[in-house]
Amino acid sequence: MKDDFINYLAELRTRMGALASIVEEKDINYGHQFTLQREGERVSLAVYNGKKGRRLVWRGKGGPLEQELLAAVEGKSLPQAGVTGAQPHLVQGEYTAPLWPGLWAGSDESGKGDFIGSLVVAATVVDRTTAAKLQQAGVKDCKALTDKKILELEPLIKEQVVDYAVLELKPAVYNMRYRQLQERGANLNQLLSLGHMAALRKVLERQPHCQGALIDQFTRSNTILVALKQSFPRVDFRQRPKAESDLAVAAASVLARAAFLRRLAELSLLAGEELPKGGGPQATAAAQRLVDRLGRERLGEFVKLHFANCKQIHY
């Protein structure tokens, strides 16, 4: 329990230290107290750790700093833009409030459920100002956008975000990597984990002040979090289902899907027909036509060979 409280205080120290100078810390009865200051505004936070749980007691004049610290520590909304010292905030509901006050990263993948085409993993780094601009531009989970809108948003996202990385495994490379992992007893989740880690490593190495990273959860295992924490001990890594409600993850989902769509269009030109998305009967029928036209040996240039669709193809 004591270690948990120490870790909690360390997390508070990181979040609040990004917004203000911590001018004093001291132990108090049943807890710990922080005193912070920025541009003449002084705020103190007493953190009590009792039998009934933790309790936070703020002492200040309710100014901009205190409101921003509240948002950072307790996940409350920031004051509306226009209030002195406030930063742009995200509307609650469709989007979740940012988990970190400064820079944060998000990652997502596209193509894992598509029989034809590549697997793409993308990561972006944003701040509150960037996230507000992305929201205003209509950035959201790519599954809620048309292909046309995704391709329209792609250059805007690349221009607005603090940083980004897009990593693609074309079908031939994907199939080779999948076979290698399968021989070691691994599965698709391992391949996805490697992709997310590689994309996040690229942006985090370039953005040393990034405070946290959110990953769209595709497995209950926390292996990916442990591995990333070893390389970036100062970064707070988290994963959760439907993480696209965070703007960094949503932007990453759009970049990943845009890259997938462009590769699918390229493969369609090579195939001489428009290749379908997804993993249904239409995708299987298109793969059958590829085999009939180009031969079995070239199928791996277009599709993910471990999909069950392959069992329905006549060679």
Side-chain angles (χ1 to χ4, degrees):
M1 182 67 72
K2 184 178 179 180
D3 288 342
D4 288 343
F5 187 57
I6 291 173
N7 291 337
Y8 178 65
L9 292 177
E11 182 178 351
L12 291 181
R13 194 175 293 114
T14 299
R15 293 191 179 199
M16 296 191 299
L19 293 171
S21 298
I22 300 175
V23 295
E24 184 183 4
E25 280 191 56
K26 62 181 180 181
D27 290 328
I28 57 177
N29 288 336
Y30 307 108
H32 191 80
Q33 181 173 296
F34 297 92
T35 302
L36 303 102
Q37 185 169 318
R38 189 184 72 189
E39 298 178 355
E41 184 179 353
R42 197 176 182 93
V43 177
S44 69
L45 169 63
V47 186
Y48 295 99
N49 189 41
K51 294 181 179 179
K52 295 183 179 180
R54 293 173 188 147
R55 185 165 61 94
L56 306 182
V57 177
W58 296 89
R59 294 183 179 88
K61 296 183 178 180
L65 176 58
E66 184 175 345
Q67 294 180 58
E68 290 178 41
L69 290 170
L70 275 167
V73 171
E74 301 181 354
K76 295 182 179 180
S77 301
L78 284 170
Q80 294 183 358
V83 178
T84 303
Q87 299 182 29
H89 73 291
L90 302 183
V91 177
Q92 303 303 296
E94 185 175 0
Y95 298 103
T96 54
L99 296 169
W100 303 277
L103 296 178
W104 76 94
S107 64
D108 202 359
E109 79 285 329
S110 184
K112 72 176 179 181
D114 294 276
F115 178 43
I116 301 172
S118 55
L119 175 71
V120 186
V121 182
T124 71
V125 175
V126 303
D127 56 21
R128 291 174 184 269
T129 301
T130 302
K133 290 179 180 178
L134 294 176
Q135 179 186 355
Q136 187 174 13
V139 174
K140 60 181 70 176
D141 179 3
C142 68
K143 293 186 287 293
L145 298 169
T146 64
D147 291 352
K148 180 181 178 182
K149 187 64 176 177
I150 288 170
L151 294 171
E152 287 176 356
L153 286 171
E154 181 189 24
L156 181 146
I157 291 171
K158 289 182 175 180
E159 180 182 345
Q160 292 291 342
V161 296
V162 177
D163 207 340
Y164 70 90
V166 180
L167 305 180
E168 179 186 8
L169 287 180
K170 298 178 184 179
V173 178
Y174 174 96
N175 290 320
M176 178 188 69
R177 293 289 291 125
Y178 189 87
R179 284 195 302 271
Q180 291 172 342
L181 289 171
Q182 202 171 35
E183 289 170 1
R184 301 206 300 262
N187 55 23
L188 178 58
N189 282 342
Q190 179 65 22
L191 187 59
L192 290 171
S193 295
L194 292 171
H196 279 265
M197 286 191 286
L200 284 169
R201 285 180 193 277
K202 279 188 173 293
V203 296
L204 292 175
E205 286 171 356
R206 296 193 295 252
Q207 302 297 329
H209 299 297
C210 196
Q211 295 174 311
L214 182 61
I215 303 162
D216 185 41
Q217 188 169 18
F218 53 86
T219 175
R220 292 185 178 181
S221 170
N222 66 347
T223 303
I224 185 173
L225 303 183
V226 173
L228 285 167
K229 193 70 175 177
Q230 290 176 347
S231 300
F232 305 95
R234 294 175 180 266
V235 179
D236 177 22
F237 293 99
R238 305 187 187 189
Q239 59 181 357
R240 72 180 183 211
K242 299 181 180 179
E244 295 92 348
S245 59
D246 177 273
L247 264 299
V249 179
S253 79
V254 173
L255 293 186
R257 195 61 179 176
F260 170 85
L261 291 172
R262 282 188 279 103
R263 184 66 59 191
L264 187 65
E266 181 181 302
L267 293 174
S268 295
L269 287 175
L270 292 173
E273 65 171 285
E274 184 175 351
L275 298 173
K277 300 183 289 292
Q282 287 184 324
T284 304
Q288 181 68 65
R289 291 192 294 274
L290 286 170
V291 170
D292 296 341
R293 189 182 310 127
L294 303 175
R296 176 178 183 173
E297 64 278 1
R298 293 196 59 188
L299 184 61
E301 299 174 23
F302 294 85
V303 309
K304 301 176 180 73
L305 294 174
H306 67 92
F307 272 45
N309 305 64
C310 284
K311 297 177 181 178
Q312 302 173 41
I313 296 173
H314 302 289
Y315 298 104

